[in-house]
Amino acid sequence: RSKYRLGKDYLSCEAPLLTPPPPNITKLDWWMSIPLASGDNSSVQVKKLKDANTVHREAFMVCGMIEKVNEAVEYFKRHHCGNKANLNHTYTFHDDPYNHG
C-alpha cells in the first residue's frame, strides 16, 4: 500500500524530489503508521520505539530509501526532461493533498 503514497505525477519533469530526512533523525524515537489515502486517520497509531538499535535501524532505512529513490528519479529527469527537470528536494508525501482524499 505505501508504494502508492507518491503522487501520480512524481516522475513528471515538474515534480520535485523527496525531501531528505532531518539531520537529527536518530533523535526521533517514535513511529507513526501511515494515514489512509482516503483521509480516514482513525487507524493511525503513534508508538515510542523501544530501543536505540530500532531507532538507528529505522533511520538507516528511511535515509537510504529516500536517497536511492531521489538518485533514480534525478537520473531519469536529467535524461528525459532537460532544462525542465525540477531537482528541488521539497516533496514530502505525507503533506501531499493527493494522499488525503
Side-chain angles (χ1 to χ4, degrees), residues 43-97:
S43 65
V44 173
Q45 299 175 2
V46 176
K47 298 178 185 177
K48 184 164 176 61
L49 295 174
K50 295 183 173 32
D51 61 76
N53 286 335
T54 302
V55 172
H56 286 278
R57 186 174 56 242
E58 296 284 334
F60 176 80
M61 289 304 298
V62 166
C63 292
M65 290 296 292
I66 289 176
E67 179 184 354
K68 292 305 177 188
V69 167
N70 277 343
E71 188 178 299
V73 174
E74 184 174 339
Y75 178 86
F76 173 83
K77 288 183 177 191
R78 287 192 188 278
H79 287 84
H80 295 281
C81 299
N83 293 336
K84 296 180 184 177
N86 182 352
L87 302 177
N88 296 315
H89 292 83
T90 57
Y91 178 59
T92 304
F93 60 89
H94 289 297
D95 296 333
D96 190 337

Side-chain angles (χ1 to χ4, degrees), residues 2 6 13 20 22-23 25 27 31 39 41-42 49 53 55 57 79 94 96:
S2 62
L6 295 175
C13 295
I25 190 169
K27 303 288 186 221
W31 170 87
N41 294 332
S42 62
L49 295 174
N53 286 335
V55 172
R57 186 174 56 242
H79 287 84
H94 289 297
D96 190 337

